[in-house]
Amino acid sequence: MPVSGSEIVKLLPGRKPCKDCGFPTCFAFAMKLATGGTTLDKCPYLSDEVKAKLEDMLAPAIKLVTIGTGENKLEVGNEEVIYRHEKTYIHPPGIAILISDTEKEEKINEKLKKVSDLKYSWVGLTLKAEMIALYNESGDREKFLSLVKEIYGKTDKALIIISNDLDTLFSARDICYDRKPLLYPITKENIEAALPRIKEKPTPLGLKGESIEDLVPLTRKLKENGVDDAILDPGSKDVLEAIRDQTFIRRAAIKQGFRPLGYPTIAFPCFMARDGLKEILLASLFVIKFASIIVLSDFDENTLLPLLVLRLNIYTDPRFPMAVEEKYYEIGEPDEYSPVLVTSNWALTYFIVSSAIEATKIPSFLCVKDTEGLGVLTGWAAGKFTGDAVASMIKKCGIADRVKHRKLVIPGRVARIKGELEDALPGWEVVVGPREAAGIGAFLPDFTKTLRK
Ligand code: SF4
């Protein structure tokens, strides 16, 4: 539940506007704090007690938890809303593949290869699974530790360590501690025994309950012991329970501001469904209904890509159109006589135009003008794809240094900017291309021949 400026101001020192925080009054400072526009340390007159209280009030409703390190780290939590249309979801759920210590070497290598190879370029982004969950299914300590060592040596992916034996769990953690793995499960039965070893080398913890009620004392216990990086598993056994539990946790954290449930969640379609298709359908449900980590028993290109695209769509900020960076993009391996085309930076436009160019197999340059995510025609109507604006981008992006010719292809829908663009770009000839990307296949081969001549 977001805290208001008037609640914050009650705790501030209220010195006669000293303005040391950079704001004219304590109230102005409080209002800014409530919206995240400044930080507590700007007021030097807060007692430790008040500071701690304010930090707690200002903390996000769902804690940010980081698993893994470096470029493979996964951040989850920090969500601010229940419904995506209210604002946006922030951290997409991590997708993990489960590797059991009962699986054969061949199968393990196949799964590792999938996690590293299945990557998809999608509207300027790379979609992929982020995590590997290692499961001590055999109950054999040595076998599991040997698996953890092997996977730790072969991949940098963020790891989840799953073992019901506490000693095995912490021994596995010691192998990959520098990778900041998620340890699972910490339960009401083992938390007392686990605490000393948790505090010795802190790392994120997966808390498992038989129900949501079980999780509350667990998070409280951890917090009392200064440990706060937790991921919740309410132990849902079927789809209906899963929807109910995930929704309850999200609502309790965000609407009621109930801190003991203000943590990201983990879901295990791998243990809930026997059939691969049902497992992916369950995973889709967890993408929509609030899970922060989703563990799958396996996937392939047919099941992973739809799941990743769904995740991208759900976690795209609905307030802003998806856009790509303003610059020139190389399609294939263009040379100094390759065509130069221009389009807007709406991701869908970029994707359609670049795909149409790729389909011709003619290496080209595609210059993308920042229209704040608008399409070509809308961008022109909004004054962001005018001749002057495109000319300025062409001059800045450096494409003139990459080609010997001076011909620039503009979309047929904005043929009207040709004169203005030629005036603003002396030495360049502006060629009006097809109105639709579908026409690029017919247009580009003949046009490229004229450049080569
Ligand atoms: Fe108030 Fe602190 Fe700002 Fe002074 S520095 S005006 S006491 S908030």
Side-chain angles (χ1 to χ4, degrees):
M1 199 163 39
V3 62
S4 68
S6 52
E7 285 171 89
I8 296 172
V9 79
K10 289 179 198 159
L11 297 170
L12 294 179
R15 296 162 71 98
K16 285 291 169 207
C18 67
K19 303 183 187 174
D20 289 357
C21 55
F23 292 87
T25 60
C26 290
F27 187 70
F29 179 63
M31 294 299 282
K32 207 67 181 173
L33 269 177
T35 55
T38 188
T39 49
L40 279 174
D41 57 349
K42 297 283 188 303
C43 172
Y45 308 110
L46 301 175
S47 67
D48 288 349
E49 192 193 337
V50 169
K51 203 168 179 180
K53 199 164 182 186
L54 284 171
E55 272 168 1
D56 195 47
M57 285 167 73
L58 292 165
I62 297 181
K63 177 142 191 356
L64 176 70
V65 177
T66 304
I67 300 153
T69 50
E71 59 183 34
N72 285 311
K73 76 177 180 193
L74 178 80
E75 291 185 328
V76 289
N78 224 1
E79 302 298 335
E80 296 172 6
V81 294
I82 295 179
Y83 302 110
R84 176 184 175 269
H85 60 259
E86 292 174 84
K87 194 172 176 188
T88 181
Y89 292 164
I90 297 170
H91 289 112
I95 306 290
I97 194 166
L98 187 79
I99 295 181
S100 161
D101 61 0
T102 59
E103 285 176 306
K104 294 205 163 58
E105 191 66 24
E106 197 182 28
K107 183 72 182 170
I108 292 172
N109 288 334
E110 184 195 307
K111 285 187 172 180
L112 278 178
K113 190 165 162 33
K114 281 185 202 171
V115 178
S116 96
D117 291 0
L118 292 180
K119 292 180 188 162
Y120 305 94
S121 290
W122 203 266
V123 287
L125 301 168
T126 303
L127 308 185
K128 60 183 180 185
E130 295 81 7
M131 307 182 85
I132 297 175
L134 300 173
Y135 180 26
N136 181 204
E137 189 176 6
S138 69
D140 181 330
R141 172 189 158 88
E142 293 314 316
K143 195 173 179 186
F144 184 60
L145 295 184
S146 142
L147 174 72
V148 174
K149 264 185 212 147
E150 179 191 340
I151 304 297
Y152 173 72
K154 284 184 173 173
T155 172
D156 291 337
K157 292 274 181 193
L159 298 174
I160 304 171
I161 307 290
I162 306 175
S163 175
N164 288 316
D165 178 69
L166 216 50
D167 204 40
T168 307
L169 190 68
F170 286 108
S171 299
R173 171 204 60 184
D174 293 344
I175 294 170
C176 54
Y177 178 63
D178 64 339
R179 213 58 84 66
K180 214 179 169 195
L182 172 69
L183 303 187
Y184 175 95
I186 300 299
T187 64
K188 63 181 177 190
E189 286 80 22
N190 69 16
I191 191 163
E192 288 297 345
L195 266 170
R197 298 185 74 176
I198 292 170
K199 289 202 269 185
E200 172 190 76
K201 287 184 182 174
T203 191
L205 304 167
L207 307 184
K208 181 172 190 281
E210 288 305 312
S211 65
I212 293 175
E213 290 75 19
D214 278 359
L215 296 171
V216 174
L218 287 177
T219 55
R220 284 189 169 140
K221 184 98 194 162
L222 285 181
K223 193 135 194 189
E224 282 162 23
N225 283 275
V227 182
D228 209 17
D229 275 354
I231 307 277
L232 308 181
D233 173 12
S236 323
K237 288 163 199 70
D238 57 43
V239 184
L240 287 178
E241 269 191 37
I243 296 173
R244 184 200 62 192
D245 292 346
Q246 293 286 338
T247 308
F248 188 96
I249 291 172
R250 176 64 67 103
R251 290 187 72 88
I254 289 178
K255 282 278 180 246
Q256 270 76 48
F258 186 61
R259 295 281 182 204
L261 290 178
Y263 296 88
T265 59
I266 187 167
F268 291 94
C270 57
F271 298 146
M272 293 171 73
R274 295 264 164 237
D275 159 317
L277 184 59
K278 281 192 189 142
E279 192 180 322
I280 290 296
L281 289 173
L282 257 177
S284 314
L285 181 134
F286 283 119
V287 166
I288 296 163
K289 284 290 177 191
F290 314 135
S292 297
I293 297 174
I294 299 167
V295 187
L296 298 169
S297 63
D298 204 352
F299 50 65
D300 59 27
E301 60 272 29
N302 298 315
T303 52
L304 183 62
L305 179 60
L307 190 64
L308 295 174
V309 173
L310 172 71
R311 181 179 73 171
L312 175 69
N313 289 339
I314 297 293
Y315 280 78
T316 298
D317 192 334
R319 296 166 301 171
F320 305 103
M322 282 190 72
V324 296
E325 191 188 342
E326 176 177 289
K327 64 176 190 177
Y328 70 77
Y329 291 80
E330 296 185 15
I331 298 174
E333 291 178 8
D335 61 23
E336 53 203 8
Y337 296 105
S338 294
V340 180
L341 298 92
V342 64
T343 191
S344 79
N345 80 329
W346 185 27
L348 190 59
T349 301
Y350 166 78
F351 184 63
I352 290 171
V353 173
S354 60
S355 300
I357 297 171
E358 257 176 49
T360 65
K361 297 196 169 26
I362 296 173
S364 305
F365 294 100
L366 180 58
C367 298
V368 170
K369 167 76 188 88
D370 181 0
T371 52
E372 296 175 15
L374 298 175
V376 167
L377 201 53
T378 328
W380 169 78
K384 299 178 194 305
F385 201 85
T386 59
D388 282 341
V390 172
S392 156
M393 178 272 294
I394 292 291
K395 285 176 191 163
K396 265 194 284 173
C397 76
I399 188 65
D401 298 330
R402 293 295 311 272
V403 289
K404 283 201 167 158
H405 66 82
R406 288 290 179 266
K407 289 196 180 188
L408 182 65
V409 181
I410 60 170
R413 281 190 177 269
V414 286
R416 68 199 83 191
I417 71 170
K418 175 177 160 62
E420 182 191 345
L421 182 53
E422 281 179 336
D423 287 347
L425 262 188
W428 283 81
E429 179 190 340
V430 175
V431 177
V432 177
R435 283 175 62 81
E436 306 288 345
I440 288 175
F443 166 82
L444 207 53
D446 287 343
F447 175 69
T448 308
K449 280 182 203 157
T450 66
L451 297 176
R452 299 270 163 202
K453 274 181 197 164

